[in-house]
Amino acid sequence: MKRLPLLLGLALVAGSLSGCAVSSPVQVFDCVKYVEKPREFTPYCADSGQVFTKIKWSQWGQDSAVGTAVARTNTCEPTCAAGKVLSTPVEIRLGKPAKVANKSAFSSVTVVYLKHLVGHPKRETLDLIIQPMGE
């Protein structure tokens, strides 16, 4: 009988803790689905004019993520359909997590080109699509 108050107390503590929200990892929307630590993604869902491949993440947190990748970029010269795809090593930093439904997704990427890529600045920051179009 002496254990009953102890068991009731433990049950109350467990019940109150079960309501605590565990923060889910921030993800990236890859134009199809949400992914944590993708090995590849594109910031341009409409035309895939640039794709980051072979991504290696050195840091992934609730506020930012940092990694290296290969940027495969369409030159769109003379047109995007006839353009060449150039590959160059880059550093990428994801930031600005935003709430989307019951998820959190990074909404910006800063790209530092480690080799000069004609038509691109050495460093640029892009807004990322964080949900399917129309939602």
Side-chain angles (χ1 to χ4, degrees):
M1 285 303 211
K2 290 184 179 182
R3 291 186 181 176
L4 185 59
L6 177 62
L7 291 175
L8 286 174
L10 289 174
L12 286 173
V13 169
S16 66
L17 289 177
S18 68
C20 293
V22 176
S23 61
S24 61
V26 182
Q27 299 175 326
V28 172
F29 182 66
D30 74 353
C31 301
V32 178
K33 62 188 177 305
Y34 294 92
V35 183
E36 182 184 353
K37 298 180 184 177
R39 298 268 305 136
E40 179 176 300
F41 81 95
T42 179
Y44 305 111
C45 295
D47 65 2
S48 296
Q50 185 170 56
V51 178
F52 300 113
T53 65
K54 301 179 183 176
I55 302 172
K56 294 181 182 167
W57 298 104
S58 58
Q59 184 262 323
W60 190 281
Q62 290 298 110
D63 297 319
S64 65
V66 178
T68 58
V70 173
R72 295 181 37 83
T73 307
N74 186 339
T75 63
C76 288
E77 294 291 330
T79 66
C80 289
K84 293 190 316 185
V85 175
L86 302 178
S87 296
T88 186
V90 295
E91 292 176 355
I92 55 177
R93 176 178 292 273
L94 302 175
K96 296 184 183 177
K99 292 291 181 194
V100 182
N102 61 347
K103 298 177 181 0
S104 185
F106 288 116
S107 68
S108 77
V109 61
T110 298
V111 183
V112 177
Y113 295 88
L114 301 178
K115 288 185 180 178
H116 179 68
L117 186 61
V118 175
H120 279 272
K122 171 99 171 125
R123 176 189 177 103
E124 64 182 341
T125 299
L126 310 166
D127 291 331
L128 294 174
I129 303 294
I130 60 170
Q131 64 187 10
M133 301 302 282
E135 288 189 20

